[in-house]
Amino acid sequence: MPTRPIVEPADRAAASSPPAVDLALQGGGSHGAFTWGVLDALLEDGRLAFDGVSGTSAGAMNAAVLACGHARGLALGQGDPAVARGEARRALRAFWRDIAGASGCFGAPGGAATPAATSAWPAWTFNLDAWPMFGVWNAWWRQFSPYQLNPLNLNPLRDILQRHVDPALLAATSVAGQPTLKVFVTATSVRTGAPKVFQGEALTIDALLASACLPQLFQAVEIDGEAYWDGGFAGNPALWPLVDQTRSLDLLLVQINPAVREGVPTTAADIADRVNEITFNASLVAQMRAIEFVQRLIERHALDAQEYKNLRLHRVADEAGLAAYDASSKLSTDARLLDALFRLGRAAGERWLAAHADDVGVRGSTPIREVWLSAAP
């Protein structure tokens, strides 16, 4: 068998040192398959390295599976980043294939109860609101809490996560002489309403379940005597761990929840959907405001750029493409829906790479004030 020359980690880094970015992954139930598609495009392209990954809910699961696959790849490839990227892609695909059709993962009745799709599978066929009986089921279901409907606290996500996430790999700081990805997962304390960021040895299967615990669907997850709900209420996702605990100045947000939605909702369902979007974006907007404030102070030389991060923000999104899938579709695990969202995300990732990959390490590609802080006309 031919042997490869032994390359020391320092020599390997010098020979190939792609610019590093931090990843911020939003939550959104089955719409997390969009993020899977974006990550698949970034990993296959290989021009960027990842430093830290912060995620909430489905974003937290994507982050954990990505990091575990990457770490296994480092071990298999003796530190080869190309092998690590390939294993990360395989890990994400295996995870979402396991999610496909699993009953009750995101709360839909029967797990994948969608109307019969046409041969072209237009987006509306995956919106559970299009199924006449969904309204009846939803009205009945909202009369009860998960403590009444699911007294045994069964959660199919637990078994799936146990098959695809190894907490020991998430706690490791290096594999085969190479640093592992730093993973940060956010949940919300039921008692205080404050965000809790799990990392290192504290990043367990329970922490991932807590980050994805919508209180209308699942019982609160208790960790060390504290009860937690979905992290989206307090940070979707949390950006401050990336600011405080990584070296990268480039931050790439993979956006699922739209920053802007045109028109005024008029139906009860549409109003509720938009209220949820605003609620889950509120903490992100607050963090963007703080980042933009620091950027302006550094530009005015009021702060020392050596002590404060002057972040370069990037964003992958497809608000128009995702708009066709309403909030009810986030509950479905229909394999056709996940595949459609994956393709949508992969296309968005490829477009971003073509337009902005060369901006990483040089300049931000998303103006915070224009996208997140602009006042209504």
Side-chain angles (χ1 to χ4, degrees):
M1 293 287 291
T3 59
R4 297 190 309 171
I6 297 174
V7 180
E8 294 298 327
D11 296 331
R12 183 183 297 115
S16 176
S17 54
V21 299
D22 288 333
L23 297 173
L25 311 180
Q26 284 197 321
S30 65
H31 288 198
F34 174 88
T35 301
W36 163 36
V38 174
L39 295 175
D40 192 72
L42 297 176
L43 290 164
E44 183 182 47
D45 181 82
R47 279 181 284 173
L48 303 176
F50 304 147
D51 188 359
V53 190
S54 180
T56 292
S57 193
M61 298 176 204
N62 275 320
V65 173
L66 165 70
C68 286
H70 187 270
R72 284 192 294 268
L74 287 175
L76 290 171
Q78 298 180 347
D80 188 333
V83 177
R85 291 194 301 271
E87 286 301 310
R89 292 181 69 197
R90 279 187 280 275
L92 286 163
R93 180 170 292 274
F95 171 74
W96 283 99
R97 287 288 177 262
D98 209 355
I99 287 286
S103 178
C105 273
F106 299 121
T114 56
T118 67
S119 58
W121 302 333
W124 67 266
T125 63
F126 298 111
N127 296 334
L128 296 181
D129 286 341
W131 180 39
M133 289 304 297
F134 178 76
V136 176
W137 175 85
N138 196 38
W140 174 85
W141 160 70
R142 288 186 179 276
Q143 299 178 74
F144 305 97
S145 82
Y147 296 86
Q148 297 169 301
L149 291 176
N150 185 12
L152 298 180
N153 199 22
L154 302 177
N155 190 337
L157 273 176
R158 180 178 295 278
D159 291 338
I160 293 175
L161 287 170
Q162 287 174 338
R163 288 194 289 270
H164 296 275
V165 174
D166 183 350
L169 290 178
L170 297 178
T173 57
S174 66
V175 172
Q178 294 295 309
T180 56
L181 304 183
K182 305 177 187 73
V183 180
F184 309 97
V185 166
T186 305
T188 303
S189 168
V190 176
R191 182 174 59 88
T192 67
K196 167 70 175 178
V197 176
F198 295 92
Q199 63 186 97
E201 293 182 356
L203 188 43
T204 62
I205 298 298
D206 278 342
L208 292 171
L209 291 172
S211 183
C213 180
L214 287 171
Q216 301 91 344
L217 302 177
F218 301 106
Q219 296 183 25
V221 177
E222 187 170 311
I223 301 173
D224 296 332
E226 192 79 22
Y228 294 98
W229 282 339
D230 194 290
F233 296 116
N236 191 25
L239 304 183
W240 64 88
L242 301 174
V243 175
D244 295 338
Q245 301 188 48
T246 73
R247 291 185 295 178
S248 175
L249 292 178
D250 289 88
L251 192 158
L252 174 59
L253 170 70
V254 181
Q255 180 185 321
I256 292 177
N257 289 331
V260 175
R261 187 179 291 278
E262 300 296 339
V264 177
T266 56
T267 68
D270 289 343
I271 291 170
D273 290 349
R274 187 53 184 155
V275 168
N276 284 335
E277 288 173 348
I278 293 171
T279 301
F280 273 67
N281 273 338
S283 62
L284 181 61
V285 171
Q287 293 176 88
M288 290 295 181
R289 188 180 301 279
I291 291 171
E292 195 267 346
F293 180 62
V294 171
Q295 286 177 337
R296 284 190 286 118
L297 291 179
I298 291 175
E299 289 172 1
R300 297 171 183 173
H301 304 289
L303 290 178
D304 186 349
Q306 300 300 317
E307 295 185 16
Y308 294 86
K309 273 189 172 182
N310 190 4
L311 287 178
R312 296 182 286 261
L313 184 70
H314 312 274
R315 178 179 69 135
V316 178
D318 186 353
E319 292 182 317
L322 284 172
Y325 302 91
D326 69 17
S328 70
S329 68
K330 294 180 180 180
L331 304 178
S332 173
T333 54
D334 190 307
R336 299 165 300 176
L337 169 64
L338 300 184
D339 284 342
L341 291 168
F342 167 80
R343 291 192 298 272
L344 202 65
R346 184 171 167 87
E350 290 172 346
R351 288 194 301 271
W352 182 86
L353 284 164
H356 299 299
D358 292 338
D359 290 332
V360 175
V362 180
R363 66 184 70 84
S365 59
T366 298
I368 295 178
R369 180 161 293 276
E370 178 181 323
V371 174
W372 296 102
L373 307 180
S374 59

